[in-house]
Amino acid sequence: MFAPTFLNVELSQLWEQLEKWYRIDEKISVENLLNQYASIENCHEIATKNAQSIIHQLRQGKLNPLRIESLLRTYRLSTQEGLALMCMAEALLRIPDSSTKSRLIRDKLNLGHWKNADETTWVEKLANFSLSQISKFLSIGSSHSALSYIPGLVRRFGEPLIRQIMGKIIHVMGNQFVVAETIEAAYSKKEKTLYSFDMLGEAAKTRDDAKRYFEAYLNAIENLNGQPGDITEKSSISIKLSALHPRYELLKRDQVKPELCEILLKLCQAAKAAEIMLTVDAEESERLELSLEIIHDVFIHDSLKGWGGFGLAVQAYQKRAHVVIDWLIAMANATGEKLHIRLVKGAYWDSEIKWCQERGLSDYPVFTQKAHTDLSYLVCAEKILNASPLIYGQFATHNAYTAAFILEMAEQKSTTYFELQRLYGMGELLYKSIPSRCRIYGPVGIYKDLLAYLVRRLLENGANSSFVHQIHDEQTSIEMLVKSVKAQCNVTQGNAHPNIKLPIDMYGLYRRNSKGPDLSSYKFLKHTQKLLNSYSLEEYPALLRQDQLERFLSRADQAQNSWEKMGIEKRANIIEKLGDLLDDHRDELTQLLCFEAQKTISDCIAEIREAIDFCYYYAQQARTLMDSPVQFPSPTGELNAMSYHSRGVFVCIAPWNFPLAIFLGQAIAALVTGNAVLVKPSHQTPRIGFFAVKLAYKAGIPKDIFQFIHCKGADVSANLLVDDRVKGVVFTGSIDTAIDINRTLANRKGPIIPFIAETGGMNAMIVDSSALHEQVVTDVISSAFQSAGQRCSALRILFVQEEVADSLLCMLSNAMKELDINDSWNFSTDVGPLIDSASKEALENHVLYLKELEKTDQARNIYTCQAPKAGNFFGPALWEIKNIQLLKEENFGPIVHVVRFKANDLEKVFMQINETRYGLTMGIHSRLESTIAMAERLAKVGNLYINRNMIGAVVGVQPFGGEGLSGTGPKAGGPNYLLRFVHERAFTQNITACGGNTILLSTI
Ligand SMILES: Cc1cc2nc3c(=O)[nH]c(=O)nc-3n(C[C@H](O)[C@H](O)[C@H](O)COP(=O)(O)OP(=O)(O)OC[C@H]3O[C@@H](n4cnc5c(N)ncnc54)[C@H](O)[C@@H]3O)c2cc1C
C-alpha cells in the first residue's frame, strides 16, 4: 500500500532519500548544505552590495499608516495590542450578530493600552484608536474624505457606528492582501502585471466546499484563457490540494490519491487548454509525499504532453527540500517535459514545530534556525537554476538579500529563464528596486475565506525573524540584514535553536517525553500495515473462581513490606524501565489494542504514549515526594518534618476503553509509592492487561507485588473489597458501579480507606458566533466520534448560539458524511466498532428514546452516518434536542445532542450544564475573553478546553479527572495523584531535650 511506483529507478531511489532527510539531525543537514553552498559563495559579495542599496532605499520609503506593516510596528505581535488586533482581524467580520461583535471589540480593546489613549472607557479607547487610524488614513489624502464626519458621529450613534468603523478598519487591513472578490474583477485589474491567482479558502471540510473550490479554480482558469505571449509571460493559477478534497490525509491515501489525481488532472487539462501555468501550493510537511505522488501521476499523464505549464511550490525550510528538488528534476528529465518550481521558505513554520512537539516525534521536519532555512533556500535555488531550461525557477521572497543573491547567481550562470515572485500586498517597494520579472501571487475571494491566509500574513509581517518586519526596525542594522548565511552558520555551528528543544526533551530535566511514531512516514505505515495483517490473538489466563482470590491477596499482603523497603529510587527506576519496555514493544501493543480493544491506529499510538508517560511522570513525582521528608519552619530547638509511606495492598479495577493507559496508570501510581497491587482487567480486554503485567515483571516488579486477577467484578467486591487487608481501591468505569464499590467499602468495619473513582461525564461544548466554523467542525468530530465516542471525556452535548446554528450544523453534517466507519485495522477508518453488542444495544435504546421525543417536536435527527450492518458498528449521529434536561444519563458512544442558545442566555447555559451534576470535560469555542472568563468562573468541570478539542489529556500537562458524578479526584497524571496512595507521617523532635539548644547558641 505505501509503496508508490514511479516512472524510473532513479525516482524510486531518490524517494528513499526523502525519508532519510525528513527529520534528520539539523547539524548533519546544515553540514551537507554548506558543502553545496561552497560553489555559490562567491555570489555573496555582489549580493550584499546590491541588497544594501535596496535596503537603504526601502528604509527611506514612507509607510502607509493603514498598512499592516505600519500597524504592526505600532502594536507588535508580541504585545497584547498586537495580539488583540490579530484576533479581531481573524474574527470580527464573520460574526453575524451585533451583540457578539460589540463584545469582541470591547474585549480586545480593553486588553491593550492603545497608543495616545488616555481615555478610560473602551468606547473612548476604540474611538481614539480607530479615529487615529482613520485620520491617518484621511491624511494620506484620498477619496475617503467623507470619513471626516466620524468623530461627531461616534458620539451620537455609539456602538453601531463603532462596529462599523472597526469593521471598516479590519476590511482595509484584509484588503491589502486580496486582489478582488472575483476572478473577473481581479483579471480586469491586472493591467500589465503578471499574476498567479489563488482562490481564497483552504482545507475543504466537506465535499460541497471542495466542489466549490474546484469550480472556482476552473472558472479562474477559463478567465485566464486567451492571453498573448509565451506561457511564462501570462498570468497563471495557484491551487491548494487541501481545498480540493475534504479528507486530504495520508492515512486515507488509497481513497484520496485516485480522487485527487482525477481532480488535479482536470484542472491541468483546463490550464493546458488555456495555455497557462498551474502551480500546486506547498502545505503541511506531513502531506508532502502524498502530494508528490499525486503530482507525479498527473505530470506524466499523456494528455498533458507538450504543455510545459505544470509546477509546484517547494518549501526550503524543510530539511529534505534539496532532495525534493533533485526528485523533481529527475521526474522532469524522465519525461523531457518542462516543470516550474516555485521556491518558498515556507509559511507554516510555527505550526510545524507545535505539531511535532505534540506528537513526540523524533526530530523536526523543518530547520529551527532561520539562517539554516536561508542556506537551504540558496542551495535549492542553485539546483533549480542549474536545471534550466527544463526547470523554470520561480523564486518567491520578500527578502532583499535573498533576491539579490538569486539575481547574482543567475547572472553568473547567464540565465534569464526564471522569475521572482511576491505576494499581493507585500514587497511592492522591494520589487520596484529590482530589475527582474516579478509575478504577484494574488489571492481572490471574499473576506470570509481570507481568514487563515490573513493570519499567516500577519504572522509573517509581525515575526521578529522575518525580513519584512526587520526592514522597518531601525534596531536591526543593514549589516545584519545582509550577513552571509555561512557567517551565520558559523555562529550557530549548524546546531538546532537552543530554545527549541527536541520533542523528547520538551519536559527538560524533569522527565522524558514519550516518543511518538511518525504517522506521516511511509516506512512506518508500511511496517504497521504488515503487523496488522499478520496477527493472531494471544492467550491469557482463564477466569478465576472467587475462592481463588484470597490467595492472591494474601501473597500481595505478605510481599508488600519488602517492596516498600526497596526504597523509592529503585522502584522509580523499575517503573521507568517499564516505560522503556512499553516503547520497545509497541508493535505487539498496537496489535493488541487494535484487535482486542478495536482501536484505530492513531488511537493505539496515543494510548501507548499515555501509558509510557504515566511511567515516566509518576516515577519522577514519586522521587520528589518520597525521597526525603519535608521539613517545616519550626521554633528553635525543634525539628518538624513529614514523610510519606505506602499504605499496603491496592485493588485496581480498569476499564476497557483505555485497557493499557488507565490499566497501567492506576497500578503504577500505587506501585511506585510502595504498594502491592491486584489489578483486574475489564472482561472485554484481558489480553492487553496480561501483556502489560508480563512487561512489568520483565522490568523488575516482583510477581507477588503486581498480580493479574482476571475475574468477575462482583467477585472482587465480594471477596477482596470486604477484606481489611485491602488498603485502597482505584476504579475507572460507570458511576453506578462506583457507587456500589463505595457502599461495599462503607460497610467494612475496619479503617476507612481511600477510594479513587473516575466515572463518566455529560460533557458539553459551547460554541458562540465568534468561533471559526471549520475549527469547530474538526474539534466536534474528534471530540465526539474519535474512539467511536467511547471516551469518558467525549463530547455529548453541543450548545450552539442560534445565529450560527444553521450554518454550523450544515457544515458539521456534511463533514460527517466523509467519516469512514469501518474495522479499526483499516488505516482509513475514522470510527471503529463499539466494544460489544451490549454497548450497541444501549445506544440503540437511546435512539428509540430520541425518536419518541421527535414525535412531540422535542428532538430532531439532523444527520446519522451509515454504518456497516454486521458487527458492533454504530453510525455517528447528530440530534437536536429542545433542552439538556431531556438527557438523563451519559450515552457512551458517538451521538452528539445539539441545543441552541441565545447570546444573552450564556450564563444560564453554564447553570444547566452544572445541574446535570456531572463535571468532567467542557469545551468552549469563542474568541471572546469575557466568555472564556465566564467559563472559568462558572463551569464546574475538571477539564476545560478552550478553542480546541476536548479529548486526549496529556499526562503531566493536562491532569485529568472530574468532579461531582464524574469522579472523586485527585486527577490522574497530575501533581496530587500519588498523595492518595500514601500515608502522611509527621515527626517532631525536641532537640534541646538531650543537652540544650546548640544550634541557637552557635548562631549568635
Ligand atoms: C509568491 C509566493 C508564494 C508563496 N507560496 C507558498 C506556498 O505555497 N507554501 C508556503 O508554505 N509558503 C508560501 N509562501 C509564503 C512564504 O513561505 C513566505 O512568504 C516566506 O517564507 C517568507 O520568506 P522571505 O524570504 O520573504 O522572508 P524571510 O524573512 O527571509 O524568511 C522568513 C521565513 O524564514 C523561515 N523561518 C523563520 N524563522 C525560522 C526559524 N527559526 N528556523 C527556520 N526557519 C525559519 C520561515 O519560512 C519564514 O517564513 C509564498 C510566498 C510568496 C512570496
Side-chain angles (χ1 to χ4, degrees), residues 13 24 85 134 143 174 176 210 253 257 296 301 403 427 449 562 608 705 722 753 791 795 877 950 971 989:
Q13 285 169 348
I24 201 160
L85 259 183
I134 289 172
S143 57
Q176 174 178 339
R253 174 180 173 271
K257 192 182 145 190
H296 171 273
H301 199 270
D449 291 327
S562 62
I608 298 169
I705 290 299
V722 292
I753 60 169
R791 289 172 179 247
L795 166 64
M950 44 197 271
K971 286 182 180 307
Q989 184 183 1

PDB file of all heavy atoms in Angstrom, residues 13 24 85 134 143 174 176 210 253 257 296 301 403 427 449 562 608 705 722 753 791 795 877 950 971 989:
ATOM      1  N   GLN A  13      14.777   5.576  -6.085  1.00  0.00           N
ATOM      2  CA  GLN A  13      15.929   5.698  -5.177  1.00  0.00           C
ATOM      3  C   GLN A  13      15.914   7.039  -4.436  1.00  0.00           C
ATOM      4  O   GLN A  13      16.158   7.109  -3.236  1.00  0.00           O
ATOM      5  CB  GLN A  13      17.233   5.539  -5.955  1.00  0.00           C
ATOM      6  CG  GLN A  13      17.490   4.085  -6.317  1.00  0.00           C
ATOM      7  CD  GLN A  13      18.620   3.921  -7.320  1.00  0.00           C
ATOM      8  OE1 GLN A  13      19.086   4.889  -7.927  1.00  0.00           O
ATOM      9  NE2 GLN A  13      19.047   2.675  -7.517  1.00  0.00           N
ATOM     10  N   ILE A  24      15.983  14.573   9.764  1.00  0.00           N
ATOM     11  CA  ILE A  24      17.396  14.356  10.066  1.00  0.00           C
ATOM     12  C   ILE A  24      17.904  15.390  11.079  1.00  0.00           C
ATOM     13  O   ILE A  24      17.321  16.486  11.198  1.00  0.00           O
ATOM     14  CB  ILE A  24      18.222  14.405   8.747  1.00  0.00           C
ATOM     15  CG1 ILE A  24      19.546  13.690   8.923  1.00  0.00           C
ATOM     16  CG2 ILE A  24      18.403  15.847   8.286  1.00  0.00           C
ATOM     17  CD1 ILE A  24      20.168  13.268   7.605  1.00  0.00           C
ATOM     18  N   LEU A  85      -5.316  42.870  18.002  1.00  0.00           N
ATOM     19  CA  LEU A  85      -5.596  43.261  16.616  1.00  0.00           C
ATOM     20  C   LEU A  85      -5.703  42.031  15.720  1.00  0.00           C
ATOM     21  O   LEU A  85      -6.606  41.918  14.885  1.00  0.00           O
ATOM     22  CB  LEU A  85      -4.451  44.120  16.097  1.00  0.00           C
ATOM     23  CG  LEU A  85      -4.665  45.618  16.055  1.00  0.00           C
ATOM     24  CD1 LEU A  85      -3.447  46.278  15.435  1.00  0.00           C
ATOM     25  CD2 LEU A  85      -5.910  45.968  15.264  1.00  0.00           C
ATOM     26  N   ILE A 134      -8.113  56.201  11.288  1.00  0.00           N
ATOM     27  CA  ILE A 134      -8.851  56.733  10.144  1.00  0.00           C
ATOM     28  C   ILE A 134      -8.338  58.123   9.776  1.00  0.00           C
ATOM     29  O   ILE A 134      -8.228  58.476   8.614  1.00  0.00           O
ATOM     30  CB  ILE A 134     -10.363  56.722  10.439  1.00  0.00           C
ATOM     31  CG1 ILE A 134     -10.827  55.254  10.435  1.00  0.00           C
ATOM     32  CG2 ILE A 134     -11.149  57.518   9.406  1.00  0.00           C
ATOM     33  CD1 ILE A 134     -12.220  55.039  10.887  1.00  0.00           C
ATOM     34  N   SER A 143     -10.083  59.532  -1.519  1.00  0.00           N
ATOM     35  CA  SER A 143     -11.493  59.780  -1.749  1.00  0.00           C
ATOM     36  C   SER A 143     -12.319  59.509  -0.502  1.00  0.00           C
ATOM     37  O   SER A 143     -13.510  59.562  -0.523  1.00  0.00           O
ATOM     38  CB  SER A 143     -11.969  58.870  -2.876  1.00  0.00           C
ATOM     39  OG  SER A 143     -11.697  57.548  -2.493  1.00  0.00           O
ATOM     40  N   GLY A 174      -7.478  43.701   5.733  1.00  0.00           N
ATOM     41  CA  GLY A 174      -7.572  42.465   4.960  1.00  0.00           C
ATOM     42  C   GLY A 174      -7.417  42.709   3.474  1.00  0.00           C
ATOM     43  O   GLY A 174      -6.734  41.945   2.774  1.00  0.00           O
ATOM     44  N   GLN A 176      -5.672  44.613   1.941  1.00  0.00           N
ATOM     45  CA  GLN A 176      -4.291  44.792   1.500  1.00  0.00           C
ATOM     46  C   GLN A 176      -3.793  43.535   0.783  1.00  0.00           C
ATOM     47  O   GLN A 176      -2.936  43.606  -0.077  1.00  0.00           O
ATOM     48  CB  GLN A 176      -3.421  45.072   2.737  1.00  0.00           C
ATOM     49  CG  GLN A 176      -1.945  45.121   2.415  1.00  0.00           C
ATOM     50  CD  GLN A 176      -1.095  45.452   3.641  1.00  0.00           C
ATOM     51  OE1 GLN A 176      -1.584  46.021   4.624  1.00  0.00           O
ATOM     52  NE2 GLN A 176       0.174  45.098   3.592  1.00  0.00           N
ATOM     53  N   ALA A 210     -15.246  21.413  -1.379  1.00  0.00           N
ATOM     54  CA  ALA A 210     -14.231  21.004  -2.352  1.00  0.00           C
ATOM     55  C   ALA A 210     -14.746  21.263  -3.773  1.00  0.00           C
ATOM     56  O   ALA A 210     -13.996  21.732  -4.637  1.00  0.00           O
ATOM     57  CB  ALA A 210     -13.889  19.537  -2.154  1.00  0.00           C
ATOM     58  N   ARG A 253      -4.872   7.581   2.001  1.00  0.00           N
ATOM     59  CA  ARG A 253      -4.200   7.625   0.703  1.00  0.00           C
ATOM     60  C   ARG A 253      -4.907   6.823  -0.381  1.00  0.00           C
ATOM     61  O   ARG A 253      -5.066   7.289  -1.515  1.00  0.00           O
ATOM     62  CB  ARG A 253      -2.768   7.143   0.886  1.00  0.00           C
ATOM     63  CG  ARG A 253      -1.952   6.988  -0.366  1.00  0.00           C
ATOM     64  CD  ARG A 253      -0.571   6.511   0.012  1.00  0.00           C
ATOM     65  NE  ARG A 253       0.247   6.171  -1.125  1.00  0.00           N
ATOM     66  CZ  ARG A 253       0.271   4.961  -1.680  1.00  0.00           C
ATOM     67  NH1 ARG A 253      -0.513   4.010  -1.223  1.00  0.00           N
ATOM     68  NH2 ARG A 253       1.060   4.729  -2.702  1.00  0.00           N
ATOM     69  N   LYS A 257      -5.830   9.472  -3.160  1.00  0.00           N
ATOM     70  CA  LYS A 257      -4.892   9.634  -4.275  1.00  0.00           C
ATOM     71  C   LYS A 257      -5.600   9.557  -5.635  1.00  0.00           C
ATOM     72  O   LYS A 257      -5.470  10.489  -6.443  1.00  0.00           O
ATOM     73  CB  LYS A 257      -3.761   8.615  -4.151  1.00  0.00           C
ATOM     74  CG  LYS A 257      -2.622   8.899  -5.089  1.00  0.00           C
ATOM     75  CD  LYS A 257      -1.542   7.869  -4.978  1.00  0.00           C
ATOM     76  CE  LYS A 257      -0.941   7.665  -6.354  1.00  0.00           C
ATOM     77  NZ  LYS A 257      -0.053   6.538  -6.430  1.00  0.00           N
ATOM     78  N   HIS A 296       3.290  13.470  -9.454  1.00  0.00           N
ATOM     79  CA  HIS A 296       3.974  12.571 -10.395  1.00  0.00           C
ATOM     80  C   HIS A 296       2.970  11.963 -11.368  1.00  0.00           C
ATOM     81  O   HIS A 296       3.146  12.011 -12.597  1.00  0.00           O
ATOM     82  CB  HIS A 296       4.690  11.473  -9.595  1.00  0.00           C
ATOM     83  CG  HIS A 296       5.260  10.368 -10.437  1.00  0.00           C
ATOM     84  ND1 HIS A 296       4.513   9.261 -10.806  1.00  0.00           N
ATOM     85  CD2 HIS A 296       6.486  10.193 -10.990  1.00  0.00           C
ATOM     86  CE1 HIS A 296       5.265   8.451 -11.538  1.00  0.00           C
ATOM     87  NE2 HIS A 296       6.471   8.997 -11.670  1.00  0.00           N
ATOM     88  N   HIS A 301       0.972  12.214 -17.204  1.00  0.00           N
ATOM     89  CA  HIS A 301      -0.217  11.803 -17.961  1.00  0.00           C
ATOM     90  C   HIS A 301      -0.089  12.227 -19.440  1.00  0.00           C
ATOM     91  O   HIS A 301       0.304  13.363 -19.736  1.00  0.00           O
ATOM     92  CB  HIS A 301      -1.473  12.434 -17.353  1.00  0.00           C
ATOM     93  CG  HIS A 301      -2.727  11.736 -17.753  1.00  0.00           C
ATOM     94  ND1 HIS A 301      -3.433  12.082 -18.874  1.00  0.00           N
ATOM     95  CD2 HIS A 301      -3.386  10.685 -17.199  1.00  0.00           C
ATOM     96  CE1 HIS A 301      -4.483  11.294 -18.990  1.00  0.00           C
ATOM     97  NE2 HIS A 301      -4.486  10.429 -17.980  1.00  0.00           N
ATOM     98  N   ALA A 403      16.807  37.841  -2.671  1.00  0.00           N
ATOM     99  CA  ALA A 403      16.516  38.170  -4.071  1.00  0.00           C
ATOM    100  C   ALA A 403      17.806  38.584  -4.793  1.00  0.00           C
ATOM    101  O   ALA A 403      18.077  38.142  -5.925  1.00  0.00           O
ATOM    102  CB  ALA A 403      15.484  39.287  -4.141  1.00  0.00           C
ATOM    103  N   GLY A 427       5.920  43.543  -0.375  1.00  0.00           N
ATOM    104  CA  GLY A 427       7.104  43.602  -1.218  1.00  0.00           C
ATOM    105  C   GLY A 427       7.027  44.541  -2.420  1.00  0.00           C
ATOM    106  O   GLY A 427       7.877  44.466  -3.314  1.00  0.00           O
ATOM    107  N   ASP A 449     -13.357  33.997   3.416  1.00  0.00           N
ATOM    108  CA  ASP A 449     -12.395  32.944   3.087  1.00  0.00           C
ATOM    109  C   ASP A 449     -10.940  33.375   3.270  1.00  0.00           C
ATOM    110  O   ASP A 449     -10.024  32.600   3.049  1.00  0.00           O
ATOM    111  CB  ASP A 449     -12.596  32.503   1.622  1.00  0.00           C
ATOM    112  CG  ASP A 449     -13.905  31.765   1.452  1.00  0.00           C
ATOM    113  OD1 ASP A 449     -14.310  31.078   2.408  1.00  0.00           O
ATOM    114  OD2 ASP A 449     -14.529  31.887   0.385  1.00  0.00           O
ATOM    115  N   SER A 562       8.462  -5.865  51.672  1.00  0.00           N
ATOM    116  CA  SER A 562       9.794  -5.896  51.062  1.00  0.00           C
ATOM    117  C   SER A 562       9.874  -4.915  49.891  1.00  0.00           C
ATOM    118  O   SER A 562      10.901  -4.289  49.642  1.00  0.00           O
ATOM    119  CB  SER A 562      10.130  -7.305  50.576  1.00  0.00           C
ATOM    120  OG  SER A 562       9.193  -7.675  49.590  1.00  0.00           O
ATOM    121  N   ILE A 608      -0.575   4.117  23.762  1.00  0.00           N
ATOM    122  CA  ILE A 608       0.738   3.614  24.189  1.00  0.00           C
ATOM    123  C   ILE A 608       1.564   4.763  24.757  1.00  0.00           C
ATOM    124  O   ILE A 608       2.220   4.638  25.792  1.00  0.00           O
ATOM    125  CB  ILE A 608       1.472   2.929  23.007  1.00  0.00           C
ATOM    126  CG1 ILE A 608       0.653   1.716  22.531  1.00  0.00           C
ATOM    127  CG2 ILE A 608       2.880   2.504  23.408  1.00  0.00           C
ATOM    128  CD1 ILE A 608       1.109   1.117  21.216  1.00  0.00           C
ATOM    129  N   ILE A 705       3.945  -8.773  43.963  1.00  0.00           N
ATOM    130  CA  ILE A 705       3.607  -7.354  44.179  1.00  0.00           C
ATOM    131  C   ILE A 705       2.590  -6.855  43.160  1.00  0.00           C
ATOM    132  O   ILE A 705       1.774  -5.977  43.447  1.00  0.00           O
ATOM    133  CB  ILE A 705       4.911  -6.509  44.109  1.00  0.00           C
ATOM    134  CG1 ILE A 705       5.775  -6.796  45.318  1.00  0.00           C
ATOM    135  CG2 ILE A 705       4.642  -5.021  43.996  1.00  0.00           C
ATOM    136  CD1 ILE A 705       5.127  -6.464  46.652  1.00  0.00           C
ATOM    137  N   VAL A 722     -14.073  -6.419  50.640  1.00  0.00           N
ATOM    138  CA  VAL A 722     -14.567  -6.530  52.017  1.00  0.00           C
ATOM    139  C   VAL A 722     -13.433  -6.872  52.993  1.00  0.00           C
ATOM    140  O   VAL A 722     -13.614  -6.828  54.207  1.00  0.00           O
ATOM    141  CB  VAL A 722     -15.656  -7.635  52.111  1.00  0.00           C
ATOM    142  CG1 VAL A 722     -16.917  -7.234  51.374  1.00  0.00           C
ATOM    143  CG2 VAL A 722     -15.128  -8.962  51.574  1.00  0.00           C
ATOM    144  N   ILE A 753     -10.755   3.496  54.018  1.00  0.00           N
ATOM    145  CA  ILE A 753      -9.610   3.539  53.089  1.00  0.00           C
ATOM    146  C   ILE A 753      -9.895   4.456  51.897  1.00  0.00           C
ATOM    147  O   ILE A 753     -11.054   4.759  51.603  1.00  0.00           O
ATOM    148  CB  ILE A 753      -9.277   2.110  52.583  1.00  0.00           C
ATOM    149  CG1 ILE A 753     -10.483   1.509  51.844  1.00  0.00           C
ATOM    150  CG2 ILE A 753      -8.818   1.226  53.725  1.00  0.00           C
ATOM    151  CD1 ILE A 753     -10.160   0.234  51.090  1.00  0.00           C
ATOM    152  N   ARG A 791     -15.050   7.460  25.003  1.00  0.00           N
ATOM    153  CA  ARG A 791     -14.095   8.031  25.971  1.00  0.00           C
ATOM    154  C   ARG A 791     -14.948   8.753  26.992  1.00  0.00           C
ATOM    155  O   ARG A 791     -15.952   9.393  26.617  1.00  0.00           O
ATOM    156  CB  ARG A 791     -13.208   9.086  25.302  1.00  0.00           C
ATOM    157  CG  ARG A 791     -12.191   8.545  24.327  1.00  0.00           C
ATOM    158  CD  ARG A 791     -11.559   9.721  23.633  1.00  0.00           C
ATOM    159  NE  ARG A 791     -10.548   9.296  22.676  1.00  0.00           N
ATOM    160  CZ  ARG A 791      -9.234   9.540  22.820  1.00  0.00           C
ATOM    161  NH1 ARG A 791      -8.792  10.231  23.848  1.00  0.00           N
ATOM    162  NH2 ARG A 791      -8.381   9.123  21.920  1.00  0.00           N
ATOM    163  N   LEU A 795     -17.376  14.413  23.809  1.00  0.00           N
ATOM    164  CA  LEU A 795     -18.441  15.419  23.718  1.00  0.00           C
ATOM    165  C   LEU A 795     -19.803  14.739  23.557  1.00  0.00           C
ATOM    166  O   LEU A 795     -19.981  13.875  22.707  1.00  0.00           O
ATOM    167  CB  LEU A 795     -18.152  16.306  22.496  1.00  0.00           C
ATOM    168  CG  LEU A 795     -19.287  17.209  22.011  1.00  0.00           C
ATOM    169  CD1 LEU A 795     -19.649  18.241  23.071  1.00  0.00           C
ATOM    170  CD2 LEU A 795     -18.880  17.917  20.718  1.00  0.00           C
ATOM    171  N   ALA A 877     -24.081  10.063  15.088  1.00  0.00           N
ATOM    172  CA  ALA A 877     -25.373  10.735  14.868  1.00  0.00           C
ATOM    173  C   ALA A 877     -25.380  12.108  15.515  1.00  0.00           C
ATOM    174  O   ALA A 877     -24.727  12.341  16.535  1.00  0.00           O
ATOM    175  CB  ALA A 877     -26.485   9.878  15.452  1.00  0.00           C
ATOM    176  N   MET A 950     -11.703  18.391  23.012  1.00  0.00           N
ATOM    177  CA  MET A 950     -11.764  18.226  24.465  1.00  0.00           C
ATOM    178  C   MET A 950     -11.442  16.790  24.889  1.00  0.00           C
ATOM    179  O   MET A 950     -11.939  16.312  25.906  1.00  0.00           O
ATOM    180  CB  MET A 950     -13.143  18.670  24.978  1.00  0.00           C
ATOM    181  CG  MET A 950     -14.300  18.191  24.142  1.00  0.00           C
ATOM    182  SD  MET A 950     -15.795  19.115  24.473  1.00  0.00           S
ATOM    183  CE  MET A 950     -16.444  18.131  25.810  1.00  0.00           C
ATOM    184  N   LYS A 971      -6.653  14.177  40.324  1.00  0.00           N
ATOM    185  CA  LYS A 971      -6.543  13.994  38.880  1.00  0.00           C
ATOM    186  C   LYS A 971      -5.416  13.044  38.502  1.00  0.00           C
ATOM    187  O   LYS A 971      -4.299  13.168  39.017  1.00  0.00           O
ATOM    188  CB  LYS A 971      -6.281  15.335  38.219  1.00  0.00           C
ATOM    189  CG  LYS A 971      -7.495  16.234  38.184  1.00  0.00           C
ATOM    190  CD  LYS A 971      -7.139  17.503  37.474  1.00  0.00           C
ATOM    191  CE  LYS A 971      -8.306  18.461  37.408  1.00  0.00           C
ATOM    192  NZ  LYS A 971      -9.510  17.876  36.867  1.00  0.00           N
ATOM    193  N   GLN A 989      10.659  16.525  66.914  1.00  0.00           N
ATOM    194  CA  GLN A 989      11.676  16.165  67.913  1.00  0.00           C
ATOM    195  C   GLN A 989      12.148  17.417  68.655  1.00  0.00           C
ATOM    196  O   GLN A 989      12.477  18.435  68.032  1.00  0.00           O
ATOM    197  CB  GLN A 989      12.878  15.499  67.216  1.00  0.00           C
ATOM    198  CG  GLN A 989      13.914  15.026  68.203  1.00  0.00           C
ATOM    199  CD  GLN A 989      15.130  14.434  67.516  1.00  0.00           C
ATOM    200  OE1 GLN A 989      15.203  14.395  66.285  1.00  0.00           O
ATOM    201  NE2 GLN A 989      16.083  13.973  68.298  1.00  0.00           N
TER     202      GLN A 989
END
